Amino acid sequence: MFGRTGPSLMSRPPRNARFEGRRKSTPRNRYWPCGQGGVAGRFSVPGSVGYPFRTMHDLSYFRENLHVFADMAKRRGITLDLDAFRALDKERREFITVNEQRKAQRNKASEEIARLKKEKQSADAIIAEMKQVSDLIKQADEKVTELDARQRELLLTIPNIPHSSVPTGTGAADNVEVRLWGTPPKYDFQPKPHWEIGEKTGILDLESATKITGARFALYKSWGARLERAIANFFLDVHTREHGYTEILPPFLVNTASLMAAGQLPKFAADLFKIQDTDFWLTPTSEVELHNLYRDETIAEDKLPIHITAWTACFRSEAGAAGKDTRGILRQRQFQKVELFKFTLPDKSYEEHEALTGNAAAILQKLALHHRTVLLCSGDMGFASSKTYDIEVWLPSSNEFREISSCSNCEAFQARRAGIRFKPKAGGKSEFVHTLNGSGLAVGRTWIAIVENYQQADGSVVIPEVLRPYMGIDRIPAI
């Protein structure tokens, strides 16, 4: 049995993500923990096992560079309660200072008690006094532990710092188009949306999907099912044979530790499906599985970069998406996706980011689908990202571009959380790797783009040339 989880550590605002591939923060969000579900550096949700967590920001750096985070909040259009953090940090330090003084007092008293006993004198008064001091020390230690947990929980909710090349803005209108490929197809008829084409050709049955499961699920039939499979196989073949990625087929169930390490928990708990009375969750994206391949490991520098790809089904509750894209299969609770993921050296990550984005866009070029690449502004970026490119494909039925891939450089943000480091060849201290991810591509949205862009006046759908070997036909006939 699957169910949505309980409250998270912060007041969760409505999500304004336009696509299954990315998690976004809504402008003016307030990032501050609600104090639920986590103590002493451990996070738990109802029915789950508690796991130790690391923060995504170094506490010392955060404390000493609050101005940097104030600027980040301004650029992202969110509110950080930094005054509350200062008060919390001051209280914690005061408790530690006073407690260290008590511990020094207790150590000195222990020496005095030993001397008195050695001289056969009574130490009862000092022992009684030190019992009270020990009780105060215990209470203060417990308080410091509580304050430590609150600090960690705060850092869990603070998004990544945008790269300097990211434009400042509040939403999609401030994103910057950086590349445009191809032109929209021209028709001598009114192009239909994919759900009408799917019904006319008998390749999409949304009514049966709703009966079997519910809203926001799809049932592909006949050539529609084969097209879905052909698209995924084509993606994997291109990325492994031409782009140098190693294919992974991971589990579709993940545990709480993996979701914590990838940054899906606690922030996105309401978007996930959890299996009742277990520590298993349905994967929201194979980014989780790929990221966790090297959790708590140190990679040799000469092994980097590591490029991996995976096809999985993905499951999301679509919380906060009520009323959006309700027709067709644009926004689903289950969808298939081919993910691209990289572990890189810090000084190579932006070079690798451009390459990853190019790998995703190359798929659309091979399919001859009109698309563009946009650089997201600071207010439209995902929680973990330092810089993100969206690739948007043209949909003729609505006469607009729609997101089909989101390619992000998270720098060390996720790696710090998961404890993924590399050992420099020259020696010295291990450092955190940089992680990058992107859809390469979303299978369902590519299915939509092909069906709509290649539709014919008679209701049939021409198959793009590169997919014909996978399909065995050059056209899906109208019924």
Side-chain angles (χ1 to χ4, degrees):
M1 180 176 181
F2 307 116
R4 299 250 305 273
T5 64
S8 67
L9 295 178
M10 57 171 283
S11 299
R12 186 184 177 280
R15 192 185 59 175
N16 71 343
R18 293 172 283 124
F19 170 54
E20 296 99 338
R22 179 169 80 251
R23 291 289 190 266
K24 288 187 176 180
S25 56
T26 304
R28 310 296 184 260
N29 287 352
R30 182 179 182 84
Y31 286 86
W32 186 253
C34 300
Q36 300 159 332
V39 294
R42 301 175 74 85
F43 169 79
S44 63
V45 292
S48 77
V49 178
Y51 282 95
F53 61 72
R54 300 179 182 87
T55 60
M56 286 178 163
H57 294 291
D58 179 76
L59 176 59
S60 296
Y61 180 82
F62 184 80
R63 177 188 292 129
E64 295 165 10
N65 295 274
L66 291 178
H67 64 286
V68 172
F69 290 90
D71 179 67
M72 177 273 287
K74 184 177 179 180
R75 292 190 67 197
R76 280 185 174 267
I78 62 174
T79 300
L80 291 180
D81 198 343
L82 296 179
D83 287 338
F85 172 82
R86 290 187 183 94
L88 175 66
D89 197 45
K90 181 174 181 290
E91 182 182 11
R92 175 182 174 275
R93 291 188 180 205
E94 287 174 350
F95 267 100
I96 291 174
T97 299
V98 171
N99 224 29
E100 289 302 316
Q101 293 171 350
R102 290 191 184 115
K103 289 175 182 179
Q105 179 187 0
R106 184 176 61 183
N107 291 339
K108 185 175 180 180
S110 295
E111 295 175 0
E112 179 65 12
I113 290 169
R115 184 188 66 79
L116 290 172
K117 287 185 175 181
K118 185 177 181 180
E119 296 176 358
K120 308 298 183 182
Q121 298 182 41
S122 175
D124 292 348
I126 300 178
I127 292 173
E129 181 185 357
M130 287 306 102
K131 184 180 183 305
Q132 294 178 349
V133 170
S134 293
D135 289 342
L136 291 173
I137 289 172
K138 181 181 178 182
Q139 293 170 14
D141 282 341
E142 290 173 351
K143 183 63 176 180
V144 169
T145 298
E146 176 196 335
L147 296 174
D148 284 344
R150 287 171 58 188
Q151 280 189 333
R152 293 189 186 100
E153 289 172 359
L154 166 62
L155 294 178
L156 281 173
T157 68
I158 295 175
N160 205 352
I161 298 172
H163 189 261
S164 59
S165 63
V166 172
T168 298
T170 59
D174 297 314
N175 295 340
V176 178
E177 181 179 289
V178 295
R179 282 182 293 277
L180 183 68
W181 191 94
T183 57
K186 295 181 179 180
Y187 306 94
D188 56 6
F189 60 93
Q190 180 63 39
K192 294 180 172 59
H194 66 277
W195 58 87
E196 291 186 15
I197 302 168
E199 182 180 357
K200 188 174 180 62
T201 55
I203 61 175
L204 185 64
D205 186 352
L206 297 178
E207 184 177 343
S208 292
T210 301
K211 178 173 65 176
I212 293 168
T213 308
R216 296 190 189 270
F217 288 89
L219 189 149
Y220 300 96
K221 293 174 63 177
S222 184
W223 293 114
R226 185 158 184 159
L227 179 59
E228 170 89 7
R229 177 160 51 93
I231 291 169
N233 284 336
F234 170 64
F235 289 175
L236 290 169
D237 285 348
V238 171
H239 292 313
T240 56
R241 297 173 183 176
E242 299 182 25
H243 298 156
Y245 291 81
T246 298
E247 183 177 352
I248 305 292
L249 181 58
F252 291 5
L253 295 178
V254 294
N255 58 30
T256 302
S258 293
L259 289 165
M260 287 291 295
Q264 296 287 328
L265 289 177
K267 180 172 170 54
F268 300 112
D271 290 330
L272 307 180
F273 288 104
K274 189 174 190 300
I275 299 179
Q276 186 173 332
D277 300 325
T278 76
D279 189 41
F280 297 143
W281 308 65
L282 296 180
T283 181
T285 167
S286 57
E287 175 191 339
V288 174
E289 293 98 306
L290 299 181
H291 175 74
N292 278 276
L293 279 174
Y294 293 94
R295 187 175 80 224
D296 296 321
E297 293 187 25
T298 299
I299 305 167
E301 182 179 346
D302 58 10
K303 298 293 184 182
L304 297 173
I306 296 171
H307 298 173
I308 47 182
T309 184
W311 169 90
T312 65
C314 306
F315 304 87
R316 298 187 189 156
S317 71
E318 284 302 304
K324 296 181 181 178
D325 302 316
T326 56
R327 298 292 301 273
I329 60 171
L330 202 64
R331 189 182 295 277
Q332 297 285 283
R333 291 189 169 103
Q334 175 188 323
F335 58 95
Q336 286 63 248
K337 178 162 65 80
V338 171
E339 185 77 6
L340 305 177
F341 200 92
K342 294 184 176 185
F343 299 91
T344 77
L345 295 170
D347 62 352
K348 299 291 186 182
S349 68
Y350 280 95
E351 175 185 325
E352 292 280 0
H353 186 211
E354 297 295 329
L356 183 147
T357 306
N359 295 155
I363 295 290
L364 294 176
Q365 294 168 19
K366 290 177 181 291
L367 292 169
L369 290 170
H370 179 43
H371 64 278
R372 67 175 185 172
T373 302
V374 297
L375 174 60
L376 298 193
C377 71
S378 55
D380 203 34
M381 284 171 44
F383 175 80
S385 177
S386 284
K387 185 175 183 178
T388 296
Y389 291 110
D390 273 5
I391 302 173
E392 301 175 342
V393 69
W394 181 258
L395 297 185
S397 68
S398 55
N399 203 40
E400 64 179 341
F401 287 105
R402 294 303 297 258
E403 184 187 341
I404 198 167
S405 175
S406 191
C407 302
S408 298
N409 185 351
C410 298
E411 296 190 354
F413 190 75
Q414 290 177 314
R416 181 177 293 106
R417 178 76 164 269
I420 306 172
R421 296 174 169 84
F422 73 94
K423 187 68 175 177
K425 287 188 294 186
K429 187 178 179 181
S430 295
E431 302 176 36
F432 290 110
V433 302
H434 280 194
T435 63
L436 302 90
N437 67 82
S439 301
L441 302 163
V443 178
R445 289 211 170 183
T446 306
W447 192 98
I448 293 172
I450 290 171
V451 166
E452 290 202 3
N453 281 275
Y454 284 92
Q455 63 180 294
Q456 305 298 303
D458 64 357
S460 64
V461 177
V462 171
I463 301 299
E465 188 173 346
V466 292
L467 288 181
R468 292 175 187 177
Y470 296 87
M471 291 291 292
I473 58 171
D474 60 8
R475 182 186 299 255
I476 296 175
I479 294 177

